[in-house]
């Protein structure tokens, strides 16, 4: 009998260790497949660009741009109209071919990958056309002035309409900020969502819980905004607007995760973990939506991380851009999550359990009533 117990204990330990290893391997396999599937070979599709061209020249240029579905072209009457569209983030850039030499306009702040793609495509096409022109002149035996030959071989003009700031040359700050908000919000919501899980349910407890989530959202946003100043990121942006957007992002993450915890218990915290592990990859911070597979593109912009990245990018670099759609997504996550937390705190306790936390904490959160003194005489 005494020898059997250690044997059973060893077997249970081995089964548990095997289960942990199998689960760990499966999680790693899933994450590896997901990350590589989303970003190992990012292929641009329907990247919106603008074109200023005469009607007679339009067809040839559009054909070059839209081949293989890489670009989606929108026509603009003037260069000024094109620049306005770039500043509103309607397009990532565009080309003007009405002058003596084609001119490219980009916006590095909208995404370095898109700007690099436009520069590479534009430079390649211009160089190919210049080489073709020189070959044709050489075959025909024509001579051209040295100045024209130099012009044909000169690098094509490129204007960065909305460049990245000197303190964020790679545009990586948005990804780091989103990861910080997602991780901090996930950890906080896991704790806040289970702070008083078995105290007597009441509307006071619900309001206290939702208020705690809101206070944390503002506090976490203030910390992120403050730390940005250490590295010169976003110093020219409106601090009040940035605080509001960061607060909404944090509330969307914490409230939706806390709502899932309120319904499903501890397993509901997986929602927050998914925001951090899966959502940041498809948020558009490092890989633009147009460079993601359709699944990642659609899901990414409809998660708090993706909507938050787009709202922050527009507020930092594109004040003329429309961000109401992104704010609506964040507000829905935050509002629905807070509503779930409020309702579940007000519902009757099915097991009629009171509190497993200290009595004074329950009294502070629920507003304990004063008891009448008992007359023992």
């Amino acid at each position: 009998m005494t020898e059997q117990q250690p044997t059973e204990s060893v077997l249970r330990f081995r089964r548990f260790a095997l289960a942990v290893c199998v689960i760990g391997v499966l999680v790693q396999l899933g994450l590896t497949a997901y990350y590589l599937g989303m970003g190992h070979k990012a292929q641009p599709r329907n990247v919106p660009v603008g074109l200023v061209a005469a009607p007679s020249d339009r067809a040839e240029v559009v054909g070059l741009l839209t081949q293989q579905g890489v670009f989606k072209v929108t026509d603009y009457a003037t260069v000024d109209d094109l620049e306005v569209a770039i500043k509103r983030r309607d397009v990532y850039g565009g080309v003007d071919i009405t002058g003596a030499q084609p001119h490219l306009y980009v916006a590095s702040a909208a995404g370095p990958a898109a700007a690099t793609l436009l520069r590479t495509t534009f430079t390649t096409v211009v160089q190919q056309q210049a080489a073709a022109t020189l070959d044709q002149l050489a075959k025909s035996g024509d001579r051209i002035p040295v100045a024209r030959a130099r012009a044909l071989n000169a690098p094509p003009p490129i204007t960065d309409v909305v460049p990245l700031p000197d303190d964020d040359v790679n545009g990586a700050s948005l990804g780091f900020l989103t990861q910080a908000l997602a991780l901090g919000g996930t950890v906080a919501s896991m704790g806040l969502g289970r702070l008083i899980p078995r105290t007597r349910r009441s509307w006071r407890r619900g309001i206290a819980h939702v208020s705690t989530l809101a206070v944390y959202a503002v506090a976490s946003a203030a910390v992120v905004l403050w730390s940005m100043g250490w590295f010169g990121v976003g110093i020219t942006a409106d601090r009040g607007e940035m605080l509001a957007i960061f607060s909404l992002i944090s509330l969307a993450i914490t409230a939706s995760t806390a709502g899932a915890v309120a319904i499903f218990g501890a397993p509901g915290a997986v929602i927050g973990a998914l925001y951090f592990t899966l959502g940041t990859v498809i948020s558009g911070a490092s890989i633009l939506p147009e460079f993601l597979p359709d699944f990642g593109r659609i899901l990414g912009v409809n998660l708090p991380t993706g909507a938050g990245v787009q709202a922050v990018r527009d507020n930092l670099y594109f004040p003329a851009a429309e961000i109401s759609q992104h704010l609506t997504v964040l507000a829905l996550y935050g509002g629905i999550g807070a509503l779930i937390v409020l309702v579940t705190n007000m519902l009757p306790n099915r097991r009629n359990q009171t509190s497993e936390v200290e009595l004074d904490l329950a009294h502070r959160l629920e507003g304990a009533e004063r008891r009448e003194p008992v007359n023992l005489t």
Side-chain angles (χ1 to χ4, degrees):
M1 188 69 176
T2 56
E3 296 180 356
Q4 186 177 4
Q5 290 181 350
T7 302
E8 292 180 354
S9 177
V10 170
L11 290 176
R12 283 197 299 268
F13 172 79
R14 289 177 178 175
R15 286 195 293 267
F16 177 76
L18 179 62
V20 170
C21 292
V22 170
I23 293 173
V25 169
L26 291 177
V27 169
Q28 290 183 355
L29 176 63
L31 289 177
T32 301
Y34 174 78
Y35 290 147
L36 293 179
M38 290 295 113
H40 86 290
K41 192 178 180 182
Q43 295 290 339
R45 287 181 294 276
N46 295 323
V47 177
V49 296
L51 174 64
V52 181
S56 58
D57 300 326
R58 181 184 181 278
E60 180 182 357
V61 177
V62 170
L64 290 173
L65 291 175
T66 57
Q67 63 182 355
Q68 299 178 350
V70 175
F71 296 105
K72 181 177 67 175
V73 180
T74 300
D75 292 312
Y76 293 96
T78 64
V79 172
D80 290 339
D81 293 337
L82 174 60
E83 289 189 356
V84 169
I86 293 174
K87 292 177 180 178
R88 293 183 56 183
R89 221 153 73 89
D90 294 333
V91 293
Y92 283 103
V95 62
D96 171 29
I97 60 172
T98 58
Q101 189 176 15
H103 195 123
L104 177 66
Y105 297 84
V106 298
S108 298
T116 300
L117 174 66
L118 284 168
R119 285 191 178 97
T120 302
T121 303
F122 176 70
T123 303
T124 300
V125 171
V126 170
Q127 290 177 345
Q128 288 176 347
Q129 291 179 341
T133 301
L134 291 173
D135 287 343
Q136 185 177 3
L137 291 172
K139 290 179 180 179
S140 62
D142 294 338
R143 295 184 178 182
I144 61 173
V146 175
R148 186 185 176 192
R150 288 177 178 174
L152 287 172
N153 287 306
I158 300 175
T159 299
D160 198 339
V161 180
V162 188
L164 282 165
D166 295 336
D167 294 317
D168 188 20
V169 292
N170 296 319
S173 297
L174 286 176
F176 298 146
L177 295 174
T178 305
Q179 287 182 342
L181 284 169
L183 181 59
T186 300
V187 173
S189 57
M190 289 170 63
L192 295 174
R194 301 293 294 175
L195 177 63
I196 45 174
R198 295 182 182 178
T199 54
R200 187 180 297 108
R201 299 174 187 264
S202 68
W203 64 271
R204 286 190 180 92
R205 194 184 86 169
I207 292 177
H209 198 163
V210 172
S211 299
T212 304
L213 291 171
V215 169
Y216 173 81
V218 176
S220 65
V223 169
V224 170
L225 189 61
W226 178 45
S227 62
M228 287 170 57
W230 300 349
F231 306 97
V233 177
I235 55 177
T236 60
D238 187 296
R239 309 294 281 181
E241 291 181 359
M242 288 304 303
L243 178 64
I245 293 175
F246 281 142
S247 299
L248 191 55
I249 295 172
S250 182
L251 182 63
I253 294 172
T254 55
S256 58
T257 305
V261 172
I263 294 176
F264 304 108
V270 173
I271 296 295
L274 293 178
Y275 291 156
F276 178 74
T277 58
L278 305 184
T280 53
V281 178
I282 57 177
S283 64
S286 56
I287 306 176
L288 295 174
E290 290 80 8
F291 287 68
L292 289 168
D294 291 338
F295 167 77
R297 175 177 55 82
I298 296 172
L299 179 62
V301 297
N302 288 292
L303 289 177
T305 46
V309 163
Q310 303 307 321
V312 172
R313 175 181 276 129
D314 288 349
N315 188 263
L316 281 176
Y317 308 128
F318 299 88
E322 178 61 49
I323 64 173
S324 59
Q325 181 179 355
H326 308 310
L327 297 181
T328 300
V329 172
L330 295 172
L332 286 174
Y333 274 93
I336 294 175
L339 181 62
I340 292 174
V341 170
L342 183 63
V343 170
T344 53
N345 277 284
M346 293 172 60
L347 291 175
N349 196 328
R350 282 175 283 184
R351 296 184 180 180
N352 197 30
Q353 294 170 324
T354 54
S355 178
E356 289 191 357
V357 298
E358 295 180 3
L359 186 60
D360 62 334
L361 175 60
H363 284 186
R364 288 199 301 270
L365 294 172
E366 296 184 40
E369 298 179 357
R370 293 183 179 179
R371 296 181 179 180
E372 294 292 336
V374 179
N375 189 355
L376 300 177
T377 58

